[in-house]
């Protein structure tokens, strides 16, 4: 990123009727037109490649990772460990964890520093670009998570290549080359500037730091750093670097079409040394707003899908010219803000945005997404420790992750397609996961806006008629939902009836809400469901 306590006590069980599940054709609710979805019986030719069980990954700003990794007494933060496991256990994947961001790109490794990272990250401060440093006790924090694979960012903004080498060497010596997924040279190099200044006005431009780069100067510098690292560290194999890591430029897609694009940079020889393992982008949809901005800012599917579609040419070029090089989103957040705006960035509406973002990204060829976390940011999945007057807690956005993981499944076989619909409202999307050529799961994301505290009408429910292959005998429907609607905080949200909170250190609390039911499919292959506005449904076919 580059920019200027949940309790289950008192939650009542909701009736199945209130959650909109019915085995018969529903009466239209609030005048809504029934949406028709015919699910193909065999996997369409437009379906994605097989989705990796490691698709949902994690990313942490350098200093913030210290707080996520360990608790106040210096042992493993089990809250973080359990929440990561709640996602990866559903797919059978391993945690892919990226450590990086803008602050370490301008950071220093100080061998005499006792603290793992300075300054200490808190909920109420901002990442300290230009003053961040790590010491020898930083990389051992990875040992708390022995099953993870690590993406290690090394400084590129610093024109002294020795700084990048020492970060790579100390990480490899401590973590072990076999536990490192990749090395990443730099962070959002498309945003380097001749006149860039960090925190408190510190000058971070040439000659000590990189200035403005174009395609040619980026390639020249990047290959210089990759070559130097491999010469200094012979254990680094071919195809071990994550490259590009550029910003989304959703505000100026004309820039995104040419600046640091794969076609041009490969043509300039960026991979002449057989170094690139994957091509990476970052994504933030907008600048964080307030509660009243949630509908337009994050719950309008045409905006999200349009922005992702701008990545299609890059993905298509790699598929045609470097088919073994995946395209990933290495840093994802819903919006940028120097402090936080939880009423916009951490509500059920933003969690639903994430659900749809992940599923749509799968359909266009994105191979993995690492969700970014920074102690101060409002879009985090959880706050790992008490900080800045705020209790450690799970945020609403976390609920998107087990939903996405369950959609991927644990067979390592899922291929994903966006389903065609008739009579669908603008902010409703449906996706199917196919395994062994047949549909196994359907996800419906209803981002039509309803909020208990601001909407002036009863919560509508969208009627959906699913026509399924005749081999499907029943469906089981689970929900990502809250009775409070889009503006709900985490304490009233459940997924598949479950919650996660700090009191149980991120262990799943089951049966908080009765929102799962199995329904027989009619002899004509049709089943009907209601999906409330501002909720999502997972439908398992059997």
């Amino acid at each position: 990123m580059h920019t200027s306590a949940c309790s289950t006590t008192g939650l009542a069980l909701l009736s199945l009727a209130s959650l909109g599940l019915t085995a018969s054709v529903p009466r239209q609710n609030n005048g809504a037109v029934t949406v028709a979805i015919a699910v193909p019986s065999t996997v369409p030719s437009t379906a994605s490649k097989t989705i990796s069980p490691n698709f949902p990954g994690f990313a942490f700003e350098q200093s913030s990772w210290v707080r996520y990794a360990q608790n106040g007494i210096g042992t493993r933060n089990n809250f973080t460990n359990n929440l990561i496991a709640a996602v990866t256990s559903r797919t059978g994947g391993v945690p892919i964890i990226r450590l990086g961001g803008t602050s370490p790109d301008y950071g220093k490794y100080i061998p005499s520093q006792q603290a793992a990272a300075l300054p200490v990250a808190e909920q109420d401060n901002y990442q300290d670009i230009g003053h961040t440093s790590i010491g020898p006790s930083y990389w051992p924090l990875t040992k708390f998570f022995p099953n993870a694979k690590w993406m290690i960012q090394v400084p590129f903004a610093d024109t002294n290549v020795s700084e990048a080498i020492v970060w790579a060497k100390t990480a490899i010596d401590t973590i072990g080359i076999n536990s490192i997924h990749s090395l990443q040279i730099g962070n959002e190099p498309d945003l380097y500037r001749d006149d860039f200044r960090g925190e408190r006005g510190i000058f971070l431009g040439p000659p000590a730091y990189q200035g403005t780069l174009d395609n040619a100067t980026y390639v020249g510098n990047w290959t210089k750093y990759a070559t130097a690292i491999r010469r200094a560290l012979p254990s680094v194999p071919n195809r071990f670097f994550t490259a590009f890591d550029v910003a989304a430029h959703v505000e100026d897609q004309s820039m995104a079409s040419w600046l640091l694009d794969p076609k041009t940079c490969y043509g300039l020889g960026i991979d002449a040394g057989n170094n690139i393992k994957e091509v990476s982008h970052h994504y933030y949809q907008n600048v964080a707003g307030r509660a009243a901005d949630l509908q337009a800012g994050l719950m309008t599917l045409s905006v999200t899908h349009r922005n992702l579609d701008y990545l299609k040419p890059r993905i298509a070029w790699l598929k045609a010219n470097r088919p073994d090089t995946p395209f990933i989103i290495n840093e994802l957040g819903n919006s940028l803000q120097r402090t936080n705006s939880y009423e916009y960035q951490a509500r059920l509406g933003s969690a639903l945005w994430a659900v749809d973002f992940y599923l749509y990204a799968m359909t266009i060829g994105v191979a993995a997404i690492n969700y970014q976390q920074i102690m101060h940011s409002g879009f985090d999945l959880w706050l790992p420790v008490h900080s800045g007057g705020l209790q450690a807690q799970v945020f609403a956005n976390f609920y998107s992750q087990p939903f996405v993981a369950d959609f991927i499944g644990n067979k390592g076989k899922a291929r994903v397609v966006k389903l065609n619909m008739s009579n669908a409202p603008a902010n409703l999307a449906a996706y199917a996961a196919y395994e062994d050529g047949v549909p196994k799961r359907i996800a419906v994301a209803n981002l039509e806006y309803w909020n208990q505290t601001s909407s002036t009408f009863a919560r509508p429910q969208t009627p959906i008629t699913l026509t399924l292959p005749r081999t499907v005998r029943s469906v089981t429907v689970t929900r990502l939902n809250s009775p409070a609607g889009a503006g709900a905080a985490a304490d009233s949200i459940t997924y598949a009836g479950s919650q996660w909170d700090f009191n149980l250190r991120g262990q799943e609390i089951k049966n908080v809400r009765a929102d799962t039911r199995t329904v027989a499919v009619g002899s004509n292959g049709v089943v009907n469901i209601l999906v409330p506005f501002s909720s999502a449904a997972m439908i398992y076919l059997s």
Side-chain angles (χ1 to χ4, degrees):
M1 181 182 76
H2 198 141
T3 182
S4 331
C6 304
S7 171
T8 58
T9 305
L11 274 177
L13 292 177
L14 299 184
S15 71
L16 291 169
S18 71
L19 292 164
L21 186 60
T22 174
S24 60
V25 177
R27 181 170 57 89
Q28 292 180 1
N29 187 288
N30 287 359
V33 175
T34 298
V35 176
I37 304 175
V39 179
S41 59
T42 58
V43 61
S45 60
T46 55
S48 70
K49 291 183 178 180
T50 301
I51 302 300
S52 168
N54 302 331
F55 187 98
F58 304 88
F60 299 89
E61 183 271 330
Q62 202 82 20
S63 292
S64 296
W65 171 244
V66 179
R67 314 304 302 280
Y68 281 90
Q70 64 183 2
N71 56 29
I73 60 174
T75 59
R76 183 178 72 179
N77 189 317
N78 286 325
F79 185 37
T80 290
N81 183 66
N82 290 336
L83 290 174
I84 289 175
V87 179
T88 58
S89 65
R90 285 172 149 78
T91 67
V94 300
I96 304 296
I97 300 177
R98 177 217 183 211
L99 304 177
T102 304
S103 55
D105 205 14
Y106 294 86
K108 301 293 183 183
Y109 181 88
I110 301 176
S112 61
Q113 180 173 300
Q114 296 298 307
L118 291 174
V120 175
E122 300 288 358
Q123 185 271 345
D124 58 353
N125 66 13
Y126 184 69
Q127 57 179 322
D128 203 335
I129 299 169
H131 305 279
T132 296
S133 59
I134 64 171
S137 61
Y138 186 85
W139 302 122
L141 295 172
T142 61
K143 299 298 184 181
F144 288 145
F145 303 86
N147 297 324
K149 295 282 189 178
W150 303 90
M151 302 180 74
I152 304 300
Q153 181 190 310
V154 301
F156 183 43
D158 193 322
T159 54
N160 180 5
V161 70
S162 296
E163 190 69 43
I165 291 171
V166 74
W167 284 57
K169 176 175 170 45
T170 53
I172 290 170
D173 287 349
T174 303
I175 301 171
I177 195 74
N178 292 330
S179 292
I180 295 178
H181 170 85
S182 67
L183 297 176
Q184 175 194 324
I185 300 172
N187 180 83
E188 299 178 356
D190 50 316
L191 298 182
Y192 294 167
R193 293 292 179 268
D194 293 342
D195 58 354
F196 179 64
R197 292 185 180 274
E199 292 302 291
R200 301 186 292 284
I202 184 173
F203 179 67
L204 299 174
Y209 295 94
Q210 304 277 7
T212 303
L213 300 178
D214 58 20
N215 291 320
T217 53
Y218 170 68
V219 169
N221 281 283
W222 192 93
T223 53
K224 171 186 172 182
Y225 279 58
T227 299
I229 290 169
R230 294 194 64 183
R231 285 177 177 169
L233 305 172
S235 64
V236 175
N238 286 339
R239 306 287 175 214
F240 202 64
F241 291 84
T242 301
F244 294 88
D245 266 296
V246 298
H249 294 289
V250 295
E251 78 291 348
D252 184 2
Q253 290 301 330
S254 63
M255 178 181 292
S257 68
W258 61 266
L259 183 61
L260 275 57
D261 70 290
K263 179 180 179 180
T264 302
C265 291
Y266 272 86
L268 290 168
I270 193 171
D271 199 33
N274 298 315
N275 289 317
I276 296 179
K277 179 175 185 173
E278 57 203 356
V279 170
S280 167
H281 269 236
H282 297 177
Y283 185 94
Y284 296 90
Q285 184 136 317
N286 47 42
V287 175
R290 313 309 301 179
D293 304 312
L294 185 58
Q295 179 178 12
L298 295 178
M299 300 183 70
T300 302
L301 292 186
S302 61
V303 173
T304 304
H305 294 183
R306 179 200 66 200
N307 290 346
L308 276 169
D309 284 347
Y310 285 127
L311 299 176
K312 284 182 175 179
R314 298 179 179 227
I315 296 168
W317 188 89
L318 287 171
K319 181 179 179 180
N321 296 277
R322 296 292 190 276
D324 295 327
T325 302
F327 183 97
I328 69 170
I329 295 176
N330 206 14
E331 187 179 305
L332 175 69
N334 57 49
S335 54
L336 294 173
Q337 182 89 339
R338 280 189 62 89
T339 53
N340 45 64
S341 177
Y342 293 123
E343 65 188 89
Y344 177 90
Q345 296 175 295
R347 291 295 182 259
L348 176 59
S350 57
L352 294 169
W353 169 87
V355 165
D356 179 77
F357 187 97
Y358 275 69
L359 302 190
Y360 188 77
M362 292 178 196
T363 70
I364 68 169
V366 174
I369 295 175
N370 294 333
Y371 196 103
Q372 177 78 345
Q373 304 217 75
I374 311 173
M375 281 290 291
H376 68 77
S377 75
F379 55 74
D380 287 338
L381 302 176
W382 67 93
L383 183 68
V385 294
H386 303 340
S387 177
L390 203 64
Q391 297 294 304
Q393 60 187 282
V394 173
F395 291 121
N397 296 318
F398 174 78
Y399 285 82
S400 66
Q401 301 299 294
F403 186 104
V404 169
D406 279 343
F407 182 75
I408 295 169
N410 60 11
K411 304 296 185 184
K413 297 180 177 181
R415 297 179 63 195
V416 178
V417 64
K418 187 174 185 288
L419 294 170
N420 294 323
M421 302 180 291
S422 299
N423 303 319
N427 294 309
L428 185 139
Y431 304 87
Y434 285 74
E435 293 175 353
D436 297 320
V438 298
K440 291 293 186 180
R441 293 170 295 281
I442 297 167
V444 178
N446 191 348
L447 274 68
E448 292 292 315
Y449 186 83
W450 182 85
N451 184 32
Q452 187 179 58
T453 60
S454 62
S455 296
T456 58
F457 49 88
R459 189 177 196 175
Q461 301 188 79
T462 302
I464 298 176
T465 295
L466 289 169
T467 301
L468 302 169
R470 294 300 179 92
T471 55
V472 178
R473 302 302 182 193
S474 64
V475 300
T476 299
V477 183
T478 64
R479 308 280 177 169
L480 170 56
N481 198 10
S482 165
D491 57 358
S492 70
I493 297 171
T494 57
Y495 164 60
S498 293
Q499 284 193 323
W500 292 260
D501 69 14
F502 178 71
N503 293 330
L504 290 182
R505 298 303 188 269
Q507 297 183 73
E508 184 175 357
I509 306 166
K510 297 183 178 181
N511 302 315
V512 174
R513 184 173 290 135
D515 66 350
T516 299
R517 187 180 177 187
T518 299
V519 181
V521 176
S523 59
N524 58 353
V526 171
V527 68
N528 301 280
I529 65 170
L530 293 168
V531 181
F533 276 28
S534 300
S535 74
M538 182 82 73
I539 304 157
Y540 297 87
L541 312 183
S542 58

